């Protein structure tokens, strides 16, 4: 059955996702390139999965139109065709754009997995890694013209190499999903002055009442002027050198950001002729013991129970790509209405607008890194669901990480992800590894992440094969009762996946097969089981020290029907007030109350 979300059904294929895609570094002079491009798929043989440097000449004939930024495998792309590991996916479009003075930048939100880009027949660069943005300076390639041809060549080998692939699988089913390929986030052009702001790093220091600002630019030696606004009024200003962290003191009392009060300060930065807009939230994350001696996660210096949902960010009509900005906002808003305070973004890096909605609506984010590695051993990644062994992950071959180049590439991507998202106010936790999928040297990796970003907490190995590092003792429990371990180890106790209770809803299933950890045939039975699970197991565990919970999951995904909302986002399976009451009970058990 073909499922369509309410937003996909009304898609404007000529102007999908028209919003400015980078909410924390906004300019006015830009052009959205989403919409109809030409596409073709051609054979390409290479022994190296990264080899797309010489894909040959663009095809002389094109296969048809594709709607960017939807992958060709998805209905909203208008294509519905899978890209093989031995094929090249080509994109082409022409655009009218006057370069003007200064420089022209071509931005890609994400392209899965490896690509090369040319403008007016001149190769301008490329990128490897399907989950992070990249920017190309196309000034010289566009100089002297107003009409321009853009060509992108893409290879995607999915799970046939060690590249990061997430939950995409060439043998989809159960918890593994249909592969996506090609452009899946917004493409856009932007005019900037020669000396421009390239990046803003915004780090709140709540207890000293300061925001630390770094204005990064490789083309300027001028000072930047920064204004902080609250409710539209300027409350602080500073002049600072570029590429140097500078603290700005805010008027007292500082208004802290939290899910209950997601207050944000606005920022404007002027550097020569360049002017950008941004925002930040004043908050702090940490670990401290509560009145009973249990280690707890803290928000703004006080213990705070993280009541979360696993959120995979898949859509039946758009795959990795939400059909609209309103759809992204809907998921965050639904979780909020259900009484959740956190979303664990599972094995995916979202477009920046998703994090923007979490910032604005008040939703904590746990951010997973995207897994890679070779073919996973069921004995390592699946069998432990019955227990929680601790195999040493220096055994790289056992963990499907024998390839040194793959390990190095993962670390590079991990660093890039932290840098990409470090200024997001709502992001509270980094999760480098999940259930041993391509895990290696997790204790060392956790320390590297802490060195990069000491302002957030770390779940170094979510689920099993705990290496004793990070801030969490992280448990996944599906088939046994939830109990607090008798021997705490000083880290925060967190139930980072549990539940998975399933209910297929007729007319809203994606395929003929359904998957879930415990299946119910009516909404009433599901509601009763959901309430019983939390009242009899989760609440008592919280009183004994459990400090964070992540229920599986927000929405159905393909075969999985264990979401609180169907895959097409049309049916919420449980009454919203019933779920909210259960979550209120969890907070009461933690002594937080309403």
């Amino acid at each position: 059955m073909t499922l369509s979300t309410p937003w996909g059904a009304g898609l404007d294929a000529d102007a999908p996702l028209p919003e400015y895609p980078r909410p924390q570094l906004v300019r006015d002079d830009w052009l959205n390139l989403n919409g109809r491009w030409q596409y073709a798929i051609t054979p390409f043989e290479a022994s190296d999965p990264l080899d797309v440097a010489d894909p040959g000449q663009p095809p002389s004939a094109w296969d048809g139109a594709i709607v960017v930024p939807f992958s060709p495998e998805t209905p909203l792309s208008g294509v519905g065709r899978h890209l093989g590991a031995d094929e090249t996916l080509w994109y082409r479009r022409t655009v009218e754009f006057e370069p003007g003075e200064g420089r022209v930048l071509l931005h890609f939100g994400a392209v899965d997995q490896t690509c090369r880009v040319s403008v007016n027949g001149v190769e301008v660069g490329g990128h490897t890694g399907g989950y992070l943005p990249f920017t190309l300076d196309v000034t010289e390639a566009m100089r002297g013209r107003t009409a321009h041809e853009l060509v992108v060549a893409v290879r995607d080998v999915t799970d046939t190499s060690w590249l990061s692939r997430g939950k995409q699988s060439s043998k989809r089913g159960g918890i593994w999903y249909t592969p996506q390929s090609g452009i899946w986030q917004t493409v856009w052009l932007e005019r900037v002055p020669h000396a421009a702001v390239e990046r803003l790093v915004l780090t709140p220091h709540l207890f000293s009442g300061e925001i630390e600002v770094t204005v990064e630019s490789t083309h300027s030696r001028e000072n930047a002027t920064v204004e902080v606004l609250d409710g539209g009024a300027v409350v602080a200003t500073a002049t600072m050198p570029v590429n140097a962290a500078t603290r700005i003191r805010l008027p007292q009392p500082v208004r802290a950001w939290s899910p209950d009060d997601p207050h944000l300060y606005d920022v404007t930065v002027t550097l020569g002729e360049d002017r950008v807009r941004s925002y930040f939230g004043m908050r702090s994350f940490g670990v401290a013991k509560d009145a009973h001696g249990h280690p707890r996660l803290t928000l703004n210096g006080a213990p705070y129970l993280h009541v979360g949902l696993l959120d995979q960010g898949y859509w039946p009509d758009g795959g990795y790509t939400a059909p609209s900005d309103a759809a992204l906002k809907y998921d965050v808003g639904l979780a909020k209405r259900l009484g959740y305070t956190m979303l664990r973004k599972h094995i995916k890096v979202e477009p920046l607008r998703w994090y923007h909605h979490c910032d604005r609506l008040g939703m904590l984010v746990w951010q997973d890194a995207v897994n890679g590695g070779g073919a996973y051993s069921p004995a390592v990644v699946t069998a432990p669901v019955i227990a929680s062994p601790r195999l040493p992950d220096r055994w790289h071959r056992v963990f499907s990480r024998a390839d040194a180049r793959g390990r190095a590439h993962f670390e590079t991507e991990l660093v890039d992800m932290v840098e990409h998202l470090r200024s997001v106010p709502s992001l509270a936790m980094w999760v480098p590894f999940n259930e041993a999928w391509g895990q290696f040297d997790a204790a060392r990796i956790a320390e590297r992440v802490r060195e990069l970003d000491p302002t957030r907490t770390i779940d170094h190995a979510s689920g099993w094969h705990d290496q004793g590092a990070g801030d969490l003792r992280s448990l996944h429990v599906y088939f046994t009762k939830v109990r607090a371990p008798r021997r705490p180890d000083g880290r925060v106790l967190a139930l980072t996946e549990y539940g998975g209770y399933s209910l297929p809803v007729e007319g809203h299933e994606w395929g003929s097969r359904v998957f879930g950890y415990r299946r119910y045939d009516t909404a009433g039975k599901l509601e009763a089981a959901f309430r019983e699970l939390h009242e009899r197991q989760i609440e008592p565990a919280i009183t004994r020290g459990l400090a964070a919970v992540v229920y599986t999951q927000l929405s159905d995904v393909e075969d999985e029907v264990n979401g609180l909302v169907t895959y097409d986002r049309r049916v919420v399976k449980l009454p919203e007030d019933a779920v909210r009451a259960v979550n209120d009970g969890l907070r009461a058990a933690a002594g937080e109350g309403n």
Side-chain angles (χ1 to χ4, degrees):
M1 176 182 293
T2 300
L3 290 182
S4 175
T5 63
W7 310 277
L11 180 78
D12 180 355
D14 292 312
L17 297 163
E19 295 81 10
Y20 191 87
R22 194 179 54 194
Q24 284 190 287
L25 187 62
V26 179
R27 292 188 181 92
D28 295 325
D29 197 356
W30 72 292
L31 178 65
N32 192 312
L33 298 182
N34 293 343
R36 300 181 197 270
W37 294 48
Q38 292 176 294
Y39 87 95
I41 296 177
T42 61
F44 181 69
E45 296 182 5
S47 58
D48 188 336
L50 303 184
D51 187 1
V52 74
D54 186 17
Q57 294 299 312
S60 56
W62 296 83
D63 295 342
I66 184 171
V67 179
V68 170
F70 300 102
S71 296
E73 292 82 1
T74 67
L76 289 181
S77 73
V79 175
R81 180 175 171 184
H82 174 70
L83 180 68
D86 57 352
E87 295 177 314
T88 300
L89 169 62
W90 295 88
Y91 293 84
R92 177 186 180 273
R93 74 160 289 172
T94 57
V95 59
E96 296 287 330
F97 188 81
E98 175 59 57
E101 299 296 325
R103 294 181 291 132
V104 181
L105 305 178
L106 176 58
H107 302 277
F108 291 83
V111 180
D112 194 12
Q113 289 171 304
T114 301
C115 71
R116 305 295 295 179
V117 181
S118 66
V119 176
N120 297 325
V122 177
E123 186 169 311
V124 292
H127 186 259
T128 293
Y131 296 85
L132 294 171
F134 62 98
T135 297
L136 304 172
D137 189 322
V138 297
T139 308
E140 292 303 317
M142 284 191 165
R143 193 177 301 280
R145 302 188 186 197
T146 57
H148 310 279
E149 179 191 57
L150 279 60
V151 174
V152 183
V154 181
R155 288 196 66 213
D156 186 351
V157 298
T158 310
D159 53 3
T160 63
S161 86
W162 41 256
L163 281 168
S164 297
R165 58 184 179 268
K167 298 189 76 174
Q168 302 176 82
S169 175
S170 56
K171 297 179 180 179
R172 59 147 304 278
I175 68 169
W176 305 104
Y177 312 138
T178 301
Q180 310 286 286
S181 60
I183 299 170
W184 67 273
Q185 290 189 29
T186 292
V187 186
W188 44 296
L189 282 167
E190 187 173 41
R191 294 186 189 90
V192 301
H194 179 73
V197 178
E198 294 167 13
R199 183 168 175 256
L200 282 179
V201 181
L202 301 164
T203 305
H205 296 275
L206 176 63
F207 302 117
S208 66
E210 297 170 304
I211 179 69
E212 184 178 290
V213 181
T214 305
V215 180
E216 296 187 1
S217 176
T218 57
H219 295 84
S220 177
R221 295 183 179 177
E222 297 184 48
N223 288 336
T225 300
V226 178
E227 292 182 331
V228 178
L229 298 91
D230 190 7
V234 176
V235 296
T237 62
T239 300
M240 61 185 64
V242 296
N243 306 315
T246 303
R247 293 194 182 193
I248 302 173
R249 184 164 178 81
L250 302 179
Q252 305 299 309
V254 170
R255 188 169 168 186
W257 183 97
S258 73
D260 297 323
D261 182 19
H263 181 74
L264 298 171
Y265 292 84
D266 293 316
V267 178
T268 62
V269 178
T270 303
L271 180 63
E273 298 178 357
D274 196 21
R275 182 178 174 86
V276 299
R277 301 185 301 278
S278 188
Y279 67 86
F280 63 88
M282 295 297 290
R283 47 80 185 123
S284 73
F285 304 115
V287 174
K289 289 185 178 181
D290 65 14
H292 303 286
H294 301 304
R296 299 283 187 183
L297 295 171
T298 62
L299 173 63
N300 303 332
Y304 191 88
L305 181 72
H306 289 219
V307 182
L309 285 169
L310 199 70
D311 178 12
Q312 311 211 53
Y314 277 75
W315 306 83
D317 43 11
Y320 265 171
T321 310
S324 74
D325 191 63
L328 284 177
K329 186 177 180 180
Y330 170 83
D331 272 8
V332 180
L334 174 61
K336 185 89 174 178
R337 294 198 308 274
L338 293 173
Y340 290 95
T341 58
M342 175 263 284
L343 291 172
R344 179 183 168 197
K345 182 50 61 177
H346 193 40
I347 318 298
K348 184 189 179 193
V349 180
E350 288 285 6
L352 286 173
R353 291 200 62 84
W354 181 83
Y355 302 93
H356 174 69
H357 292 310
C358 292
D359 297 338
R360 294 284 179 187
L361 295 176
M363 182 64 64
L364 296 170
V365 174
W366 290 17
Q367 179 62 54
D368 288 9
V370 180
N371 58 292
Y376 302 148
S377 165
V380 175
V381 306
T382 305
V385 74
I386 307 301
S388 296
R390 293 192 181 190
L391 294 179
D393 61 11
R394 66 180 180 275
W395 298 350
H396 294 159
R397 188 170 299 278
V398 171
F399 281 78
S400 306
R401 276 297 190 182
D403 193 300
R405 187 166 61 151
R407 298 195 301 273
H409 187 80
F410 174 87
E411 290 198 48
T412 297
E413 285 193 327
L414 180 65
V415 171
D416 289 346
M417 181 186 74
V418 171
E419 296 299 339
H420 174 51
L421 298 176
R422 70 158 62 246
S423 295
V424 172
S426 55
L427 203 158
M429 179 85 66
W430 299 114
V431 187
F433 296 110
N434 178 76
E435 293 186 352
W437 302 343
Q439 179 177 324
F440 68 96
D441 305 343
R444 179 182 63 80
I445 294 292
E447 285 309 304
R448 185 171 188 191
V449 172
R450 197 177 306 281
E451 289 172 2
L452 286 169
D453 180 13
T455 71
R456 294 179 172 95
T457 48
I458 300 168
D459 179 6
H460 80 302
S462 186
W464 35 80
H465 301 301
D466 186 350
Q467 306 299 302
D471 297 295
L472 301 191
R473 184 173 180 180
S474 179
L475 307 177
H476 292 185
V477 179
Y478 286 112
F479 299 114
T480 60
K481 289 186 177 181
V482 176
R483 296 185 179 91
R486 295 180 179 179
R487 296 181 180 179
D489 65 4
R491 293 176 297 167
V492 173
L493 180 63
L495 184 59
T496 50
E497 286 186 32
Y498 74 104
Y501 287 6
S502 301
L503 175 68
V505 178
E506 186 175 358
H508 300 272
E509 300 111 326
W510 183 79
S512 59
R513 296 177 294 178
V514 295
F515 174 85
Y517 295 109
R518 188 168 297 181
R519 185 171 172 178
Y520 298 90
D521 55 11
T522 70
K525 292 179 181 178
L526 174 64
E527 181 183 345
F530 182 83
R531 184 184 302 110
E532 181 180 5
L533 169 65
H534 289 85
E535 291 178 351
R536 295 191 178 184
Q537 298 185 43
I538 307 303
E539 286 185 19
I542 288 172
T543 63
R544 294 192 293 270
L546 183 63
V549 295
V550 182
Y551 182 82
T552 302
Q553 63 183 328
L554 175 59
S555 76
D556 293 349
V557 182
E558 297 197 356
D559 296 344
E560 290 190 73
V561 291
N562 49 20
L564 294 179
V565 64
T566 55
Y567 196 17
D568 57 8
R569 300 337 193 253
R570 294 180 184 270
V571 179
V572 180
K573 299 179 186 180
L574 297 179
E576 292 186 13
D577 58 350
V579 179
R580 192 163 52 247
V582 165
N583 288 330
D584 287 345
L586 301 186
R587 281 185 284 274
E592 294 178 6
N594 289 327

